[in-house]
Amino acid sequence: MSGTPSSELHCTVLSRRETMTSTKLVFLFSVAVISLGTVRTAEADLPHVEISNWAIRFGAQMWEIGKQVTRIREIKERYQSEAKIEQVDGFAMVKEMAEEMENMMGDKIEAIKRIMDAAEQLSVSHPRLSRQDLYEMRQRAETIEYYNAKRLNMYHKSGPKAGELLDNHKELIMSNSQHFGNVGVNTSVSAVHVPTNVFDGGPDVMNGILWSEQLDRIFMTNYESDPSLTWQYFGSSTGFMRQYPATKWGQGEWEPDLFDCRLRPWYLQAAASPKDMIILVDTSGSMTGVRKEIAKHVVLTLLDTLSENDFINIYKFSEVPVPVVPCFKDKLVQANLENVRELRNGMMESETSDIANFTSAFTTAFEILAKYNRTTQGSQCNQAIMLVTDGAPVGYREIFEKYNWPHKPVRVFTYVIGREIIDTAATNWMACANKGYFARVTSLAEVREQVLKYIPVLSRPMVMYQKDHPVIWTSAYIDIAEPKLSDWLWEIRERRKQRDRSLNYRALLRLISERNNAQSDDTSNVTGNNTRDASGRPTISMTVEQYLTYGNLVNEERLNAHRIKQEREEAANPANNQQHNRQGTRTKPKFLMAISVATPVYDRKNFSNIIEKILINDIWEEKTRTVRTANLLGVAGTDIPVTELKKRTPAYKLGVNGYSFIVNNNGFVLHHPDHRPLDADGLLKPNYNTVDLSEVELVDSDGGPRENDTYLMTMRREMIERREGETSFKVRVHHDGMRRVSVRRQRYYYRGLKGTPYSLGLALPDGYGHFRVVAETEVKRLMADHNINVSSFFSGKNWKIHPDWIYCRYNYDHLKSFDSPEAQVMHFVDRTQRERWRWNSKHPRPSHDSARSHKQDDNFYCDKHLMQSLIFDAQATEVFDKNISLSIDRQDPGLGMLMALLARHAMFKLFGISVAFVATRSGLLRWQDISTIDDKHFSEANLNAIDQTWYKRAVDQYSVEPDSFVYSVPFSTGTGITNESVVTASHAIFVEKGGYKAPAAVVGLQYKNSAFRETFFNITSGCTGGVQCRRTCSSGDLSCYVVDNHGYIVISKEERDTGRFFGEIDWLVMDSLIHYGVFKRVRIYDYQAVCKDMQGHRSAANFILTPLRYMKWFVQWMVGRATWLILQTQIAHLMNPDWAWAMEQEQADYHNEDNDESPGPTPTGGEFMADGDISIIVHDEAVTMDNAYANKTRPRPCDQQADLYVLQPEKLFKGDKPDSVKGKQNCNSNNLGARQCERHYSTHKIPHSNLLLLVIDTTCRCETQKQKIEMEEVRVNESLFCERPQENLYRLRPSVCLSYHPEEEEIKQCGKGSLQLPSLLLMTTTMIYSILKAI
């Protein structure tokens, strides 16, 4: 073979199999497929005819291998002979599924109403303990017994009390329950959670805990009558939450307990109607030091009390009011996570100066609220101004007379910051005169309690109506998702990254020193390929940045996968890789989406006795006074996991590539297959639960980002209004982490869910999506007619079922437990063959027959159609598990006839097949294998086979070429240190009857990559007929690629190219193929993306400091420590007994746990090789202290885009015959002395596949360009920066608004100020510290 090897692609010599018999068989098979004889082309041109023959031979041979190994013919014949095709009525399906959901949701409403009614009665009838009663009980050493969720089952780990319960803790027997998320629960009692900032010994809290204990009877009755109920709870306005069933809250050593039920979405939305809120923050010159910090935390806590149905803005004011977010000027924004995050960030930086202009601030706030009320924008319900200040000189009566009186549509709440403020009369009057509340906030420790006092005030009109108990439904949310906790987890992750980098920096310095001393002459850079040094050790070349990031690891890509996996686990819980959700469960890091339904609980007493201290003749006396009240006791609710909603829309009814989704009144999705709440690092995205329908349904259009499509927007509006409808449009559906895209037309059916703000939608692909294969086995008839044991269809262990589908199950976990879904199915398969068996095919509904609710024989649910389909599929695919040769098909001579003579395992060994499999419409997966390549077996990685990309792509491929396989390789597998990756091939089996067709199953196999490559190069290394060829794929002047229908390389001379986008190898050729229409560019947008903003790091130059600066730091430290000592030791109480201040302690970026001899992070799991096993060559770069600093990041929601590519197979055909696309590239150089030439290429479709063969003549040297597929942020023009298209989208307000009651003016409780003495000690230390800080 002639030709000069290309500098870009090195010649690879592929050895044939050692066994002569195998070589002969492969040759005979190839000859059997293709007849001999081709036409040779001129030497100067590419051998186009021969290239076409290569493509045909390779495609035909792989088709025959796959067809025989996967038993396509036998399985298809079984379905074709017995199955029927049924047309899907989309409207009927969505109606049936919607009614099923409505029944389930209606049952939950009835359950919480029973809790509410019982709570209101218990609060009235239960005798109340006074403060004196509680004091006397403590004196008698009596305690009120209850199960504190944070004090359960915790024992001494060492010492003389090892194994004994900790003090003030209780023991409670629990058993794991799959229904409650595989956590330990006790269904006989409830447990109480008390927030960290709430004293559980206070009279109001203790009385609430006492009377609410009797709710256990209601909780248990609800659960016994409705087994689909999950967590039930009562959240008290005093802060505690009683939840059923009881479970341990379990707190990690380093995990803060930030949970407070009064800040959860279900509580906030049920406790008060929606609101428009403007927060006015005083930033005058007096708001400095501690006051400034307290004010900031007041605002941040106020933001925590908002829901997506509220509207908000924040203005800072001194001389003039200024919005904290410039883009939010003169408007209110929806209080979704993204906008709240913007407002939080805006509060982080604020300057104080000048004098507060209250007139200007109030005027701005009232005018904005009036505009929104007048133009029917915002919530159109409650309106409130929250004033955060250290005092006001006067009451500004004229402002309120002008804008708010006499009807007082806007409530005013005032928060006075600082204990030393004596005159609070003006701010107190502002609140009382405008139906608000006055609160004094003197320390960070009491911020939350003082802020939350405004919620009972907003609830007063609702409470006064008594009989109106609005039922609210939340958006989908993750209950552990405290915004502060998410930020804290991100910070922990960044600190861990900095620690690892610092350790790698130290290891690198030692490595460079050792290598320079031992091998000073062997530090040349290597191209990046793994080679070996003089001692025979593998050698890898790294840059300084690579080593600092990845450490002593052989392969960057393998490390990336390992690190992402590790960070997903560790970032969720930095303590011990465990995570605790609101229910207190100790589980693997897993985020569970849920919705909640809740209703308020009222105090039925309209009057209360209050005790006041009155000064009479210089003596303070206590007087009891009866006053009008309207108190909110709390909120009753229950959770519904999103997975439970999905069970009401069974995937087998929707079919492959069909799906369901739910939208709420704001257009946000509760669930959707493209809803991705976690980022690449496994942390929650900043706006994870406010994803709009228009952000997940990507319409196929030529418009730019966020251009609204008429059909989509019409569907969105009608779903928000809970109408019934139907529409159809083309969408772009991405796969494999946005590396592939499909364009298809889908038909949508939707319907509102009665009694909720939700609508259910179904999406079905046009064509096959509207037809279903109907094939079921009636067990009793099969037994009667043929005396067959149905269980025999499930023999062996090489089968699994979809783990998330409900085939049959008992309604209560304690009735019977199973080790696996397969064991559970087999149990019910056996039961179906018994006498008197009957199907319970309706989801369980509430039943108050306690005798029946726990009867094992009939307390189960079975999906009759799914179970009978599963049994039929098991029988139809039974042949797949047989290791036998097949009968010879006389009409299929050649390779197929020869292969039929071989036993199956022999075929596996001959062609390098690792596993063959079949997955059916009922969720059944069967496989047969002879080896395991990956650590994780194929069956474990593909339990939910029908949801896998290879299944979906095979079904879509059927309409392109019915007799074909879809081939794919893992992305970038060629860069690994082993070539034993796999090539997955899948083929869809369709049933065709009466002109209709529908998918029944997908069969497939996995080849070893080395064997797949060898088969290709065996064919392309010679000409047909054994004629000696001058130019083949094995010669140096031809570069041959097998590329899939999305442009990813499946086979190349260089193994490292496998799985890479072809544009990374030669963008000019790829661009030419796009120009000729072989590939089509499809732009995909990600509206749920997270961008990471670099925060940078402190320069090393800052360490060069003057002695004076050191002295300044020392004095600051001394004063700060002295102040902290005063607070910690409570010396300040000598001046003021009520003063307290809780301060967060900032952790260091990383701590030095290792001595100087530490070798750095140690790889585990056999993934990597240590320093002693490899020779690491670091590029000759300067290594400075700056290298040790990691660039810290902060997440931010953003839009991203990428161009993906789809093969247009019609361009490779001329009529019904395959045709090639030939092109050339002008390689003229700017160098006049260089030889001018052209580089030719030829592209051919490989039949029976989604592949094409691309051959490039590399005789002419050309400069190549490379282009990766990467998501890039969509940059917005600065002039449009403040325009947010999503804010202008249509939404529907909640149907209930209770913001006014005519008798509310009778309630006079509005907070009360008191004379306070300033803390001279605190003022002095704070002043000194502030002066030093300003130096």
Side-chain angles (χ1 to χ4, degrees), residues 865-892:
H865 296 295
L866 181 57
M867 278 291 287
Q868 293 190 157
S869 297
L870 175 68
I871 295 171
F872 179 91
D873 289 352
Q875 186 179 12
T877 59
E878 196 176 13
V879 66
F880 190 84
D881 207 27
K882 307 297 183 183
N883 183 32
I884 57 174
S885 59
L886 302 176
S887 59
I888 298 176
D889 186 355
R890 300 296 180 185
Q891 299 185 5
D892 186 19

Side-chain angles (χ1 to χ4, degrees), residues 253-256 488-489 491-496 498-499 574-575 1121 1143-1151 1153 1192:
E253 183 180 359
W254 299 105
E255 184 178 359
W488 178 74
L489 291 176
E491 182 64 24
I492 291 295
R493 173 190 175 277
E494 292 296 300
R495 290 174 179 176
R496 184 179 296 107
Q498 174 64 76
R499 180 197 61 194
R1121 285 297 161 183
M1143 181 177 181
E1144 296 180 0
Q1145 183 176 0
E1146 183 177 353
Q1147 300 180 31
D1149 281 349
Y1150 65 94
H1151 58 276
E1153 298 175 346
K1192 289 190 176 182

Side-chain angles (χ1 to χ4, degrees), residues 255-293:
E255 184 178 359
D257 178 22
L258 301 177
F259 182 83
D260 189 324
C261 68
R262 296 169 296 177
L263 295 177
R264 306 315 298 150
W266 50 269
Y267 186 97
L268 294 169
Q269 293 182 43
S273 296
K275 51 193 170 292
D276 297 337
M277 178 186 292
I278 292 183
I279 303 174
L280 300 178
V281 186
D282 183 354
T283 57
S284 62
S286 59
M287 290 287 289
T288 58
V290 176
R291 293 187 197 174
K292 178 180 175 181
E293 193 67 19

Side-chain angles (χ1 to χ4, degrees), residues 702-720:
D702 297 327
R706 294 194 181 273
E707 289 198 4
N708 296 331
D709 178 81
T710 302
Y711 292 103
L712 174 60
M713 288 297 109
T714 300
M715 180 180 75
R716 181 185 179 276
R717 186 184 186 99
E718 291 183 350
M719 290 189 72
I720 288 174

Side-chain angles (χ1 to χ4, degrees), residues 6 40 175 258 280 300 327 329 339 364 380 492 515 680 712 851 882 886 982 1024 1107-1108 1163 1190 1195 1263 1329:
S6 169
R40 296 290 307 274
S175 58
L258 301 177
L280 300 178
L300 297 181
C327 289
K329 184 178 181 181
N339 289 334
T364 299
Q380 290 295 296
I492 291 295
R515 294 296 184 265
L712 174 60
K882 307 297 183 183
L886 302 176
V982 294
T1024 48
L1108 290 177
E1263 294 183 2
Y1329 184 80

Side-chain angles (χ1 to χ4, degrees), residues 278-281 283 313-330 343 346-347 350-351 357 360-361 364 368:
I278 292 183
I279 303 174
L280 300 178
V281 186
T283 57
N313 204 347
I314 303 175
Y315 275 81
K316 298 182 291 186
F317 72 96
S318 52
E319 285 292 336
V320 292
V322 179
V324 297
V325 178
C327 289
F328 295 169
K329 184 178 181 181
D330 296 332
L343 292 167
M347 281 300 301
S350 60
E351 299 294 332
N357 186 340
S360 177
T364 299
I368 293 175

Side-chain angles (χ1 to χ4, degrees), residues 804-1088:
D804 300 327
W805 290 7
I806 302 301
Y807 296 86
C808 288
R809 68 175 180 185
Y810 286 103
N811 293 327
Y812 295 96
D813 292 338
H814 67 270
L815 295 179
K816 192 170 182 63
S817 60
F818 302 93
D819 295 332
S820 66
E822 291 74 33
Q824 187 174 31
V825 162
M826 287 306 302
H827 169 80
F828 282 98
V829 167
D830 291 338
R831 287 197 62 175
T832 60
Q833 301 175 80
R834 301 176 188 173
E835 293 184 3
R836 303 179 64 182
W837 162 261
R838 65 182 184 85
W839 297 93
N840 289 342
S841 295
K842 293 289 185 181
H843 284 283
R845 297 293 305 280
S847 170
H848 296 281
D849 183 357
S850 59
R852 181 181 181 275
S853 64
H854 287 278
K855 188 178 179 182
Q856 180 171 342
D857 289 340
D858 61 354
N859 202 335
F860 63 86
Y861 163 77
C862 263
D863 191 319
K864 179 181 179 181
H865 296 295
L866 181 57
M867 278 291 287
Q868 293 190 157
S869 297
L870 175 68
I871 295 171
F872 179 91
D873 289 352
Q875 186 179 12
T877 59
E878 196 176 13
V879 66
F880 190 84
D881 207 27
K882 307 297 183 183
N883 183 32
I884 57 174
S885 59
L886 302 176
S887 59
I888 298 176
D889 186 355
R890 300 296 180 185
Q891 299 185 5
D892 186 19
L895 182 59
M897 182 176 66
L898 294 174
M899 290 188 65
L901 300 174
L902 295 174
R904 201 176 199 189
H905 282 176
M907 287 189 287
F908 276 39
K909 294 177 180 178
L910 177 62
F911 298 107
I913 298 169
S914 60
V915 62
F917 55 87
V918 58
T920 72
R921 72 220 156 94
S922 64
L924 175 65
L925 173 67
R926 287 189 186 273
W927 72 90
Q928 193 176 77
D929 60 353
I930 59 173
S931 65
T932 300
I933 293 177
D934 298 319
D935 294 335
K936 194 172 186 179
H937 189 267
F938 172 84
S939 62
E940 296 298 325
N942 294 273
L943 290 173
N944 52 344
I946 197 171
D947 303 323
Q948 296 296 319
T949 302
W950 52 260
Y951 195 110
K952 296 180 178 181
R953 293 180 67 200
V955 173
D956 281 339
Q957 174 73 10
Y958 189 87
S959 61
V960 177
E961 190 175 1
D963 293 337
S964 65
F965 279 91
V966 173
Y967 296 89
S968 62
V969 294
F971 296 102
S972 300
T973 57
T975 60
I977 59 176
T978 175
N979 63 355
E980 287 308 309
S981 56
V982 294
V983 179
T984 302
S986 56
H987 167 80
I989 294 178
F990 272 66
V991 177
E992 301 185 30
K993 289 188 176 182
Y996 302 127
K997 56 186 178 182
V1002 168
V1003 297
L1005 64 162
Q1006 287 188 337
Y1007 297 92
K1008 296 177 182 177
N1009 185 41
S1010 57
F1012 194 73
R1013 285 168 47 84
E1014 184 177 352
T1015 302
F1016 172 77
F1017 282 106
N1018 282 340
I1019 292 174
T1020 59
S1021 295
C1023 293
T1024 48
V1027 180
Q1028 183 66 29
C1029 295
R1030 178 181 178 275
R1031 311 181 77 190
T1032 68
C1033 286
S1034 294
S1035 60
D1037 57 356
L1038 290 185
S1039 292
C1040 299
Y1041 300 91
V1042 174
V1043 181
D1044 73 7
N1045 57 326
H1046 294 286
Y1048 292 96
I1049 297 172
V1050 177
I1051 298 177
S1052 169
K1053 285 184 179 180
E1054 296 287 347
E1055 280 193 71
R1056 62 179 178 177
D1057 293 338
T1058 305
R1060 298 172 67 187
F1061 174 57
F1062 181 72
E1064 297 180 43
I1065 308 302
D1066 195 329
W1067 171 247
L1068 294 178
V1069 174
M1070 184 68 190
D1071 190 52
S1072 177
L1073 293 174
I1074 297 169
H1075 174 74
Y1076 285 118
V1078 177
F1079 281 96
K1080 179 182 178 182
R1081 180 185 284 109
V1082 179
R1083 178 159 292 180
I1084 197 81
Y1085 294 99
D1086 183 4
Y1087 299 126
Q1088 305 172 60

